[in-house]
Amino acid sequence: MTALRKKRSSAPTLSVEKSFAVDGHRYIAGCDEVGRGALAGPVSVGVVVVDLDAAPGLRGVRDSKLLLPAERQALVPRIRRWSVASAVGHASAAEIDALGLMAALRTAGSRAWAAVLDTVTPDAVILDGNHDWLSARSQGVLFDGESPAAPAIGCTAPVHTRIKADLKCLSVAAASVLAKVERDALMVSLAADHPAFGWDGNKGYATEGHRAAIDALGPSEYHRKTWRLGSQDRTGMPHAEIGG
């Protein structure tokens, strides 16, 4: 049995979400991001809200990185029907450059958050990872590299961070699927006008071919120009990650 199939054999559940019922909570939102480590395109944040009084399990949902593209696509309408509310928000490469990555994630998250509020107000949020970039901020600079002009936006419900929540929490895994499918589709659409960068395949991440194309052509308007983009290091530029 492959390592991938071993991981996929353990499906996320609603156990963590249901633990919030002890405090009288009913509507729990799962949240995850994609595109954090890409060289081009937006960061995208998915939010999926479940009703603890009604939500059953949902077969087939996994962290988006463990699913094939066709599997993710097939899950989208099922997730939309299963959840009380769901949305994906984006923050562009230009916003990442202007605000810094953490503020851009919060901007994307706040857009998804505002969309679900049109339907329901979640009682609490489970956020994948160990850092709360989603909650509303009203202070000035909170993160290194973040602009002091970053807007005071974000989620106003209690946010509970959880490492590997996309592997354990069904709502978070579902959010990762929605965000991944929507962002991938956006990168494929942008690839039509910028074929040299291979975004239909690499989705904006740091492949060797992508870096080589940036070396040859220079960055496009969809690249994160404050990042190390080409094959040569530039002092002070963040290193990108491959994947996710």
Side-chain angles (χ1 to χ4, degrees), residues 20-240:
F20 286 87
V22 174
D23 296 320
H25 297 326
R26 176 177 177 181
Y27 298 107
I28 304 300
C31 182
D32 200 8
E33 57 79 22
V34 297
R36 179 194 294 254
L39 303 180
V43 287
S44 303
V45 175
V47 176
V48 169
V49 185
V50 294
D51 180 355
L52 298 183
D53 288 351
L58 186 61
R59 290 173 62 89
V61 175
R62 300 288 192 277
D63 169 27
S64 62
K65 295 185 290 296
L66 300 180
L67 296 169
L68 298 173
E71 293 174 321
R72 292 193 293 261
Q73 290 278 1
L75 283 169
V76 168
R78 295 179 57 207
I79 291 169
R80 298 286 191 190
R81 291 191 301 267
W82 170 76
S83 60
V84 177
S86 61
V88 178
H90 307 278
S92 68
E95 289 175 311
I96 295 169
D97 287 338
L99 299 174
L101 180 60
M102 291 297 116
L105 282 168
R106 189 160 59 253
T107 297
S110 74
R111 289 167 178 161
W113 179 253
V116 301
L117 289 182
D118 288 340
T119 302
V120 66
T121 301
D123 298 309
V125 181
I126 303 170
L127 177 63
D128 182 55
N130 61 1
H131 176 67
D132 176 12
W133 44 259
L134 183 64
S135 292
R137 299 290 196 268
S138 58
Q139 297 97 327
V141 179
L142 296 184
F143 302 101
D144 291 342
E146 183 172 303
S147 165
I153 55 175
C155 169
T156 53
V159 173
H160 302 264
T161 59
R162 188 178 181 92
I163 297 173
K164 300 297 184 183
D166 51 1
L167 297 176
K168 302 170 184 176
C169 304
L170 186 53
S171 65
V172 179
S176 78
V177 170
L178 296 188
K180 176 68 172 168
V181 169
E182 196 162 310
R183 186 183 184 279
D184 281 2
L186 175 61
M187 296 310 297
V188 170
S189 70
L190 293 176
D193 292 328
H194 301 271
F197 297 115
W199 293 337
D200 52 340
N202 62 49
K203 305 304 188 292
Y205 286 95
T207 63
E208 183 178 348
H210 190 185
R211 288 198 188 277
I214 297 169
D215 286 339
L217 301 174
S220 73
E221 66 268 36
Y222 300 107
H223 281 99
R224 303 172 187 179
K225 296 180 179 65
T226 54
W227 291 45
R228 181 175 68 86
L229 295 176
S231 60
Q232 301 300 315
D233 285 342
R234 287 189 292 155
T235 303
M237 296 297 102
H239 283 230

